[in-house]
């Protein structure tokens, strides 16, 4: 677009460049038109604004609605005279901190932009004059607070770096003498007899051999300990299992054998288990009872036999009278 065609679109103080399929803003041509206080760039194909856009210092009202802008220049806050800004239906997702410098901004529309949730909440709706005016106030105030917080954090970090630098300076002054002494010691070491280097190398090789031997020995001991621990753990588990089974047998077997002899309920209980599990507990109980009875008879017979032998061999001898 040439300068003549731009000037032809000026009416009063409004420069209407809407619906011109503009992909770039003709900043130089617009800057020559000093009367253009209102600039309408709506309904074009703009994706960005050039950095020299802030040369349009005379702009009071700016309409950038219905474009494809993805960002606003960082130096946008230099448009100090700007009072009206329309960014409706663009692709802006962040606002430059310099917008906080637009103290004269009285009207702002940010609807239909992919703003961050925080900024969208601050902006609020803009469906009437009062809401758009509140949007302008809230955004300028919010960005001012963000800018102040960033500046305070920057100063805090700068002070921390300065403090660290001062501490390093003091330490370096205190350590100056120590550095000189270390330098003298280093020079003295370099002046030692070079023949000692061979001895040192040999000693180093011996030390390395000792270290490797000690390492291998420690590794072997550690491996043996792990193997012994594993074997001991397996042995303990095996023994504990056998002991538990033996104790269980000591409790369970007498219960199965003896209780049915004295309790009808236990006999009913065994019948119930046999019916539901199929385990022949009654047969086992009968066999066990017979075995206990036979062992009892054997024990009684053995006792009677031993008592008989005792009476025959010892009791008769004690009954013989002793003569003096």
């Amino acid at each position: 677009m040439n300068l003549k065609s731009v000037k032809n679109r000026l009416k009063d103080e409004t420069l209407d460049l809407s619906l011109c399929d503009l992909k770039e803003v003709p900043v130089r041509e617009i800057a020559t038109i000093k009367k253009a206080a209102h600039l309408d760039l709506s309904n074009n194909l703009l994706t960005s604004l050039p950095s020299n856009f802030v040369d349009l210092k005379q702009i009071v009202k700016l309409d950038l609605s219905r474009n494809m802008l993805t960002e606003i220049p960082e130096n946008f806050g230099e448009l100090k005279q700007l009072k009206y800004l329309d960014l409706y239906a663009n692709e802006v997702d962040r606002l430059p901190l310099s917008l906080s410098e637009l103290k004269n901004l009285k009207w702002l529309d940010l609807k239909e932009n992919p703003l961050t949730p925080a900024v969208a909440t601050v902006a609020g709706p803009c469906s009437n004059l009062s809401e758009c005016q509140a949007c302008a106030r809230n955004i300028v105030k919010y960005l001012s607070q963000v800018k102040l917080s960033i500046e305070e954090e920057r100063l805090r970090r700068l002070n921390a770096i300065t403090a660290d630098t001062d501490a390093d300076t003091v330490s370096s002054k205190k350590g100056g003498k120590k550095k000189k002494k270390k330098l003298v010691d280093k020079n003295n070491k370099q002046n030692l007899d070079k023949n000692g280097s061979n001895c040192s190398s040999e000693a180093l090789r011996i030390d390395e051999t000792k270290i490797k031997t000690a390492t291998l020995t420690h590794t072997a001991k550690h491996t043996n300990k792990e193997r012994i621990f594993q074997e001991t753990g397996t042995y303990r588990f095996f023994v504990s299992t056998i002991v538990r089974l033996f104790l269980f047998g000591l409790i369970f077997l007498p219960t199965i054998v003896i209780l049915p002899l004295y309790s009808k309920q236990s006999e009913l209980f065994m019948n119930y288990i046999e019916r539901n599990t199929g385990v022949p507990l009654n047969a086992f109980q009968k066999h066990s009872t017979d075995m206990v009875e036979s062992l009892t008879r054997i024990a009684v017979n053995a006792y009677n036999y031993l008592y008989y032998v005792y009476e025959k061999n010892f009791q008769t001898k004690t009954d013989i009278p002793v003569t003096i």
Side-chain angles (χ1 to χ4, degrees):
M1 181 175 291
N2 55 41
L3 179 60
K4 186 175 181 179
S5 60
V6 172
K7 286 185 176 181
N8 290 337
R9 288 180 170 270
L10 179 65
K11 184 178 182 180
D12 295 333
E13 293 183 347
T14 301
L15 182 60
D16 188 1
L17 298 178
S18 62
L19 299 170
C20 293
D21 294 332
L22 293 177
K23 294 183 179 180
E24 295 181 357
V25 180
V27 176
R28 293 181 180 179
E29 290 81 353
I30 298 172
T32 59
I33 306 174
K34 301 301 181 181
K35 294 182 180 181
H38 300 171
L39 177 59
D40 187 356
L41 292 169
S42 62
N43 294 283
N44 280 290
L45 304 175
L46 301 175
T47 57
S48 62
L49 298 178
S51 59
N52 63 343
F53 186 84
V54 294
D55 292 341
L56 306 178
K57 306 291 186 182
Q58 75 277 17
I59 300 298
V60 176
K61 181 177 180 180
L62 177 60
D63 189 351
L64 293 167
S65 62
R66 299 185 184 279
N67 277 279
M68 295 180 289
L69 295 172
T70 57
E71 61 181 1
I72 305 299
E74 294 294 334
N75 58 353
F76 197 80
E78 296 181 17
L79 298 175
K80 303 294 185 180
Q81 303 300 320
L82 194 63
K83 296 181 179 180
Y84 180 104
L85 177 59
D86 192 347
L87 291 170
Y88 172 75
N90 278 277
E91 299 296 327
V92 177
D93 58 354
R94 58 177 294 274
L95 299 174
L97 292 177
S98 63
L99 255 67
S100 61
E101 300 174 8
L102 300 180
K103 303 302 181 182
N104 293 321
L105 190 65
K106 305 299 181 184
W107 195 98
L108 177 62
D109 189 355
L110 293 171
K111 295 194 306 296
E112 302 297 330
N113 281 281
L115 300 171
T116 60
V119 176
T121 302
V122 172
C126 183
S127 56
N128 53 51
L129 177 61
S130 61
E131 290 179 350
C132 293
Q133 290 175 344
C135 176
R137 291 194 304 270
N138 294 337
I139 288 296
V140 171
K141 182 179 179 180
Y142 172 76
L143 293 177
S144 298
Q145 293 174 349
V146 173
K147 185 177 180 181
L148 180 61
S149 300
I150 293 175
E151 185 64 22
E152 289 177 351
E153 179 66 18
R154 187 184 67 83
L155 290 175
R156 186 187 67 79
R157 293 184 179 183
L158 182 61
N159 291 333
I161 294 173
T162 303
D164 292 340
T165 303
D166 293 340
D168 292 339
T169 303
V170 173
S171 299
S172 62
K173 289 181 179 180
K174 290 182 179 180
K177 294 181 179 180
K178 293 182 179 180
K179 289 182 179 179
K180 290 181 180 178
K181 185 177 179 180
K182 289 181 179 180
L183 182 61
V184 172
D185 293 338
K186 184 177 180 180
N187 292 330
N188 291 334
K189 289 180 180 180
Q190 290 178 351
N191 293 327
L192 292 175
D193 189 7
K194 293 183 180 180
N195 293 328
S197 61
N198 295 328
C199 297
S200 299
S201 300
E202 186 66 26
L204 181 60
R205 285 195 294 271
I206 294 172
D207 290 339
E208 289 179 351
T209 304
K210 290 181 179 180
I211 291 171
K212 289 181 180 179
T213 304
T215 303
L216 292 174
T217 303
H218 177 73
T219 304
K221 290 181 179 180
H222 185 69
T223 304
N224 291 332
K225 287 182 179 180
E226 288 184 349
R227 181 175 57 80
I228 293 170
F229 178 77
Q230 292 176 355
E231 292 177 354
T232 304
T234 304
Y235 174 75
R236 287 179 179 177
F237 174 76
F238 181 72
V239 171
S240 63
T241 303
I242 293 177
V243 171
R244 289 173 184 173
L245 291 175
F246 177 73
L247 293 176
F248 176 77
L250 288 179
I251 297 172
F252 179 74
L253 292 178
T255 302
I256 295 299
V257 173
I258 297 172
L259 282 181
L261 299 177
Y262 302 98
S263 174
K264 279 289 184 182
Q265 293 181 353
S266 61
E267 184 177 356
L268 294 175
F269 176 70
M270 292 180 63
N271 292 333
Y272 174 77
I273 293 177
E274 185 172 351
R275 284 196 306 270
N276 289 277
T277 62
V279 179
L281 290 179
N282 286 322
F284 176 75
Q285 187 268 339
K286 186 175 183 306
H287 178 71
S288 300
T289 303
D290 294 340
M291 184 181 294
V292 170
E293 291 178 351
S294 62
L295 291 175
T296 303
R297 285 195 298 271
I298 292 172
V300 171
N301 293 331
Y303 172 77
N304 291 332
Y305 176 75
L306 292 174
Y307 186 75
Y308 170 76
V309 171
Y310 171 76
E311 286 184 340
K312 184 177 180 179
N313 294 285
F314 297 96
Q315 190 68 26
T316 56
K317 291 181 180 181
T318 56
D319 292 340
I320 299 173
V322 179
T323 58
I324 301 175

